[in-house]
Amino acid sequence: MKAVVLSVLVVLVAPVLQVAVVNGLSLPGGGPDVVLVAVIALAPHLRPRAAGGGAGAFLGFAAGLAADIAPPADHTIGRLALVLCLAGWVCARITADGTAGRRAAVAAAVALGATLAAGALAALLDGTPWGTALAPGAVAWTAGLAALVAAALALLPRRRSFGRVPRSRNSSRDPYARGRRLA
């Protein structure tokens, strides 16, 4: 339930933060894509990893569609939704239990690939000049921020399950281990 609430907040707040704050900053080479960083950071923590990354893909699609229709929408709608859907799917297939270095490297690689894919789609679909669509500063800012956020989330202490009895290794072999009652 907490992941659903957090996902909805990411979908609603990240595009507003991108438009209101990050686009107004005068960072050298352009600013980072906050929506992409949020999807990369949140997708590995979504619960249904057994679905093969479907929850991460849905999160990426919803966040991308929200970013596509954000007020200065001067591009083809659905372009960011496609890229963020693929980025969310890839990140959701990665386990959230990896080390900080591994998660940071994967996050930087996914951010780099997604930023380059978004730039290539912008150049091909909207006629944006290649130098503007694939700005090296924006690529570097996005990949660096994604790696930093993923490493920070990997270093947070893991939630413990209180009130549940841990299952022993030998209980799967003992047919009476689960429902044993004292008479």
Side-chain angles (χ1 to χ4, degrees):
M1 183 67 179
K2 291 179 184 179
V4 172
V5 172
L6 188 60
S7 299
V8 170
L9 283 175
V10 164
V11 167
L12 295 177
V13 173
V16 173
L17 183 68
Q18 177 74 39
V19 171
V21 177
V22 176
N23 289 349
L25 297 174
S26 59
L27 296 172
D33 188 358
V34 176
V35 181
L36 175 62
V37 171
V39 168
I40 288 173
L42 187 61
H45 297 285
L46 295 177
R47 227 356 156 192
R49 281 190 280 276
F58 183 72
L59 170 71
F61 177 76
L65 194 59
D68 275 335
I69 61 173
D74 57 350
H75 58 274
T76 306
I77 292 181
R79 186 183 75 199
L80 292 175
L82 172 66
V83 171
L84 292 180
C85 179
L86 292 174
W89 179 76
V90 168
C91 287
R93 295 185 55 86
I94 299 166
T95 61
D97 299 332
T99 63
R102 179 178 178 264
R103 296 238 349 251
V106 169
V110 170
L112 177 69
T115 306
L116 292 176
L121 282 175
L124 293 174
L125 294 177
D126 297 334
T128 307
W130 286 96
T132 306
L134 298 172
V139 173
W141 279 109
T142 303
L145 185 62
L148 183 70
V149 170
L153 286 178
L155 292 176
L156 287 177
R158 292 191 179 104
R159 184 176 66 183
R160 296 176 189 229
S161 59
F162 293 106
R164 291 184 3 194
V165 177
R167 202 173 152 193
S168 68
R169 287 185 168 180
N170 295 332
S171 66
S172 62
R173 295 182 191 149
D174 186 8
Y176 301 107
R178 277 200 141 168
R180 187 177 296 172
R181 287 191 230 174
L182 297 174

